[in-house]
Amino acid sequence: MKLNKLFKVFAVVIVLVMMLAACKPAATEAPAATEAPVATEAPVATEAAKVYTYADMTVGFIQTGSEGGWRAANTASFKETAETLGLTLKFYDAQNKLENQVSAFRNFIADPEVNVIVLAALETTGWDDVLKEAQAAGKVVVIEDRRIDASSDLYATYIGADFALEGQNAGIEMCKLLEGSESKNVVELVGNVGSSAAKDRGTGFRETMGQCGITVTQSQTANWSATEGKDVMAAFLKADPNIQGVFAQNDEMGLGAALAIKEAGLVPGVDIKIITVDGTAGAFKGMIAGDLNTVLECNPLLAPQVYEAALKALNGEKLPAWIPSQEGIFYQADAEAIFPSRTY
Ligand code: AHR
């Protein structure tokens, strides 16, 4: 009897289950097994990420010094653009002393107002420690004008010229100037020897001068200076007057060399060809006077690019390791026409 009753109950249960299954929509796929929601804490409201503007930027700018026209234009670019954009600029002139640049770097790291540090490096080496300290302090670092020998992970970006290309172009242009000359002896006036500008321009020149058989017979630093350029050129002429060309790594040294050539009774730009780098007003006046033959541009007006990159970095944007500045080549024949449009 009991068994019979049990069987009847079982049969009723089966029928009921089958009726319920027929009412449920057909699942097209077995629903993915989902974890039962785990109870979490109520999300904590976080402040929206701050979007920096130029008004939030305080830039500590470590300049090399004030060695010539290019540097004056570079400094003016940073001061004038800071005013235009409404950012705060703390300017430091290192008087061309590396130790001053390193101590200024640490002062800006310690300055709670400074959130961006910009460096125009006197030398390529010696920056790793302060760059790591700046990174640990959460400061954005942008290298301007001269590249440095440090990992690009240690700074937001480098904005400056391709100095090696400037040197290569100088070699190519000197070949043009000395075409047909029996001898092709060139002397070189070098900037401060530890700087990337001096190192790379020298390397670049030597990479292309061989295209026409140029020989660099004498090379010496004149520290970017017109006075030293004149003294070193006078010494070159005394040591070996068989010189057909001068590669001066900036305008001031080339103009100084022109004075020494005149004092030796020769005609600069004619008896001895002169190529310089920068493109300052002095160089254009020198080309118009016939003293300089060709000038490779090195653009000092970098502040707009630097400040824009720094703001992007403040807002968390990853930047390319190097943003090259755009530059041209100026020839004596065109100098008079171009000069009025030049801004430095
Ligand atoms: O770094 C750029 C160089 O620095 C310029 O060619 C020179 O004039 C300045 O001293």
Side-chain angles (χ1 to χ4, degrees):
M1 180 58 173
K2 252 190 187 173
L3 200 58
N4 199 13
K5 206 171 182 181
L6 199 59
F7 181 72
K8 280 178 185 168
V9 168
F10 187 64
V12 169
V13 168
I14 292 294
V15 169
L16 280 173
V17 167
M18 285 170 72
M19 283 169 67
L20 279 172
C23 299
K24 218 165 64 175
T28 48
E29 284 173 27
T34 50
E35 295 289 315
V38 176
T40 55
E41 282 166 35
V44 174
T46 53
E47 185 195 310
K50 175 180 173 56
V51 177
Y52 288 87
T53 67
Y54 285 122
D56 302 312
M57 266 171 73
T58 297
V59 175
F61 176 32
I62 306 164
Q63 182 58 289
T64 56
S66 51
E67 70 274 12
W70 191 97
R71 194 59 54 188
N74 185 244
T75 293
S77 174
F78 278 85
K79 289 182 176 174
E80 289 161 13
T81 308
E83 208 163 311
T84 306
L85 297 177
L87 60 89
T88 305
L89 178 66
K90 295 190 175 189
F91 176 78
Y92 178 79
D93 178 336
Q95 306 286 320
N96 285 303
K97 289 186 174 66
L98 181 63
E99 61 273 18
N100 289 351
Q101 288 199 317
V102 174
S103 62
F105 210 118
R106 290 203 159 97
N107 290 339
F108 284 140
I109 290 171
D111 185 337
E113 292 177 358
V114 170
N115 48 19
V116 173
I117 297 174
V118 175
L119 171 69
L122 271 165
E123 311 271 341
T124 52
T125 54
W127 300 106
D128 283 57
D129 290 347
V130 287
L131 288 170
K132 287 170 185 164
E133 291 163 28
Q135 205 163 59
K139 310 267 176 165
V140 165
V141 175
V142 175
I143 308 299
E144 75 101 13
D145 170 19
R146 300 185 180 164
R147 66 167 183 76
I148 58 174
D149 294 337
S151 164
S152 57
D153 296 338
L154 293 175
Y155 52 86
T157 188
Y158 159 52
I159 293 177
D162 184 340
F163 297 128
L165 179 62
E166 290 169 350
Q168 290 158 2
N169 285 336
I172 293 165
E173 294 301 326
M174 188 60 87
C175 280
K176 291 179 190 172
L177 290 169
L178 299 184
E179 195 172 343
S181 172
E182 207 174 297
S183 297
K184 296 182 180 181
N185 296 330
V186 171
V187 297
E188 182 186 39
L189 296 168
V190 182
N192 68 297
V193 293
S195 70
S196 53
K199 290 178 182 178
D200 297 353
R201 284 171 185 164
T203 303
F205 187 84
R206 286 160 178 77
E207 286 168 350
T208 56
M209 68 182 195
Q211 289 174 10
C212 67
I214 287 172
T215 307
V216 173
T217 53
Q218 300 179 76
S219 174
Q220 188 177 323
T221 184
N223 287 307
W224 309 118
S225 144
T227 310
E228 288 192 46
K230 178 171 180 262
D231 295 342
V232 171
M233 186 65 203
F236 284 162
L237 285 162
K238 203 165 170 210
D240 175 5
N242 182 16
I243 298 170
Q244 285 73 48
V246 178
F247 171 41
Q249 291 187 353
N250 84 332
D251 297 338
E252 280 80 4
M253 295 188 291
L255 292 166
L259 290 175
I261 291 167
K262 284 176 185 168
E263 286 183 6
L266 298 167
V267 181
V270 178
D271 298 327
I272 297 180
K273 308 296 186 187
I274 302 180
I275 289 181
T276 72
V277 186
D278 279 350
T280 58
F284 274 82
K285 288 173 186 162
M287 284 196 282
I288 292 165
D291 295 341
L292 304 182
N293 298 90
T294 305
V295 175
L296 286 303
E297 183 181 24
C298 179
N299 181 5
L301 308 181
L302 301 176
Q305 278 182 283
V306 171
Y307 291 145
E308 182 190 23
L311 187 61
K312 285 178 179 174
L314 270 182
N315 283 312
E317 190 171 330
K318 183 88 176 98
L319 300 170
W322 176 21
I323 303 173
S325 39
Q326 302 307 315
E327 298 165 344
I329 300 174
F330 302 114
Y331 300 95
Q332 193 180 90
D334 309 322
E336 196 138 19
I338 295 173
F339 187 39
S341 64
R342 297 290 293 166
T343 58
Y344 60 89

